[in-house]
Amino acid sequence: AKVFSAPILHVNGDDPEAVVRSFNMAADYRQQFGRDVVLDIVCYRRYGHNEADQPAFTQPLMYDRISKQTPVKKLYAEFLTRKGHITPEWLAQHEAALEESANQAFIDAPNYRRPVAEYLGSRWGSIRVNVDGAKICDTGVDVTVLRRIGDVVSAAPQDMNLHQLIKSTFNKRGQVVKTGERIDFALAEAMAFGSLLLEGNHVRLSGQDVERGTFSHRHAIVHDQSGNMRKYMPLSNLAPEQGNISVYNSHLSEYGVLGFEYGYSMVNPNALVCWEAQFGDFANTAQIMIDQFITSGESKWNRSSGLVMLLPHGYEGQGPEHSSARLERFLQVPALKMST
């Protein structure tokens, strides 16, 4: 917290009202100042991971003291009773009702059927869950639209001082658009993004060096070489009513960035949200996010996502682990019924 100059609120976990006040204060601080705040709740864990676990096995002294600590519920009930807010009879009645509700839920558990998940009850309601993967859908657009997009992503304002290599790349790209031959990945990607933008969809791309691309192939954003900090994004200049496109270079924290993009992708099913590893094997350090959330999102978390992970890779002499995105890991995922 000190690294980010974030205030720290220390609060006694045995005082529920103080905890609530601290939460409200932290939320107000974040909303007003747009800064992080840390809430340190000084409390303890009374039981183990589950009914069969016993923390005293490895922490006998600590859990001997915890066993003698008055539970928070009892402390707060005594406080409210002293203040005259509740009576012992009222407390006993509500405890019995809660116990009865829990017991009934336990009895009903074998017959429980999960309702329509939240993601299907909101913006994801129009998205089909069971899709015939073998069905080929027509997703093409007219060639005139593709040429229009190609022309835009092959040029920049004439008063911009582009790097000579980018000028050469744009010139070659322009020739490819005219002939329609030898279209490379970067141009095909730009046309795909552009066609979605012209239909009003939002496109978002983040990752390490995604502006220029790992292999200096994309050049989604170009920079004026005159030192005036001027930037230009061709795909944001297709049409006045086009969708919004966001391209962000991210820091070297695949786990954190992929997690952010995964959360971002869950909001709008009609947005194309892409995360690109600088090299395919960089997905290794994002593997926890992939295993815990992305591949098990629907079955475990009742959440759907349209996130696209781009994993460029190739043999460049940097060692075996740096020459493959280990695509077999991802190909195995659809074969597992427990995965999405």
Side-chain angles (χ1 to χ4, degrees):
K2 290 184 178 180
V3 173
F4 301 101
S5 298
I8 306 174
L9 303 179
H10 304 279
V11 59
N12 183 3
D14 277 349
D15 187 347
E17 292 188 4
V19 173
V20 172
R21 286 195 298 271
S22 299
F23 265 100
N24 290 335
M25 185 185 302
D28 291 342
Y29 179 89
R30 185 188 63 182
Q31 292 302 103
Q32 182 171 345
F33 300 106
R35 301 289 298 277
D36 292 333
V37 56
V38 176
L39 188 59
D40 176 28
I41 305 176
V42 182
C43 54
Y44 58 91
R45 180 176 184 171
R46 183 170 293 273
Y47 303 108
H49 297 292
N50 51 54
E51 293 84 349
D53 184 36
Q54 177 51 264
F57 291 156
T58 53
Q59 300 289 341
L61 298 180
M62 179 189 296
Y63 274 86
D64 179 62
R65 295 186 63 180
I66 289 176
S67 67
K68 298 172 182 176
Q69 184 84 359
T70 303
V72 178
K73 185 187 75 172
K74 185 176 181 180
L75 287 173
Y76 192 50
E78 292 173 349
F79 168 77
L80 295 176
T81 302
R82 288 196 306 271
K83 291 290 185 178
H85 297 312
I86 64 173
T87 63
E89 293 77 18
W90 182 94
L91 179 62
Q93 177 184 352
H94 282 75
E95 285 181 331
L98 182 60
E99 184 74 15
E100 174 61 26
S101 175
N103 287 333
Q104 189 60 48
F106 180 77
I107 295 172
D108 296 339
N111 300 319
Y112 174 77
R113 294 294 179 270
R114 189 173 69 186
V116 176
E118 181 182 326
Y119 65 82
L120 291 180
S122 57
R123 291 187 177 185
W124 289 89
S126 61
I127 305 298
R128 291 176 56 197
V129 178
N130 296 318
V131 178
D132 182 1
K135 183 179 179 180
I136 299 177
C137 300
D138 183 11
T139 60
V141 296
D142 191 86
V143 67
T144 58
V145 175
L146 297 179
R147 290 190 185 279
R148 172 185 170 189
I149 298 169
D151 288 338
V152 172
V153 300
S154 303
Q158 292 185 353
D159 60 344
M160 279 197 75
N161 181 21
L162 294 182
H163 193 284
Q164 288 299 320
L165 291 179
I166 294 180
K167 282 185 180 180
S168 176
T169 298
F170 276 11
N171 289 334
K172 292 177 182 178
R173 185 180 291 176
Q175 292 299 317
V176 169
V177 172
K178 290 180 181 179
T179 63
E181 299 177 353
R182 301 183 66 84
I183 295 176
D184 61 11
F185 181 89
L187 180 55
E189 178 191 74
M191 288 179 172
F193 287 171
S195 64
L196 291 173
L197 293 168
L198 289 174
E199 294 173 357
N201 298 300
H202 173 43
V203 175
R204 177 183 173 87
L205 173 65
S206 80
Q208 295 137 12
D209 292 330
V210 293
E211 287 188 12
R212 68 175 186 267
T214 298
F215 305 107
S216 297
H217 62 289
R218 179 177 290 121
H219 301 299
I221 297 178
V222 293
H223 296 250
D224 195 303
Q225 300 296 302
S226 301
N228 56 16
M229 306 299 290
R230 184 183 177 188
K231 297 190 293 184
Y232 177 72
M233 187 187 304
L235 282 173
S236 64
N237 292 273
L238 293 172
E241 304 299 325
Q242 70 172 74
N244 181 50
I245 179 169
S246 305
V247 179
Y248 295 109
N249 285 341
S250 69
H251 55 286
L252 279 164
S253 177
E254 294 84 2
Y255 171 68
V257 176
L258 179 58
F260 182 90
E261 299 303 332
Y262 174 65
Y264 196 102
S265 70
M266 292 191 290
V267 177
N268 184 2
N270 295 313
L272 176 62
V273 180
C274 305
W275 171 76
E276 181 174 85
Q278 189 170 39
F279 229 66
D281 64 281
F282 283 27
N284 289 341
T285 51
Q287 199 66 42
I288 298 173
M289 191 59 60
I290 295 169
D291 292 342
Q292 294 294 321
F293 295 97
I294 296 176
T295 60
S296 59
E298 292 185 7
S299 60
K300 183 175 182 180
W301 304 105
N302 289 344
R303 292 293 182 270
S304 192
S305 166
L307 178 72
V308 174
M309 292 184 290
L310 302 173
L311 307 173
H313 62 286
Y315 294 101
E316 59 165 21
Q318 294 294 322
E321 97 294 348
H322 195 58
S323 301
S324 173
R326 304 295 182 192
L327 297 180
E328 61 274 11
R329 296 181 299 187
F330 301 95
L331 292 173
Q332 288 171 351
V333 170
L336 302 177
K337 292 184 179 180
M338 65 184 70
S339 301
T340 55

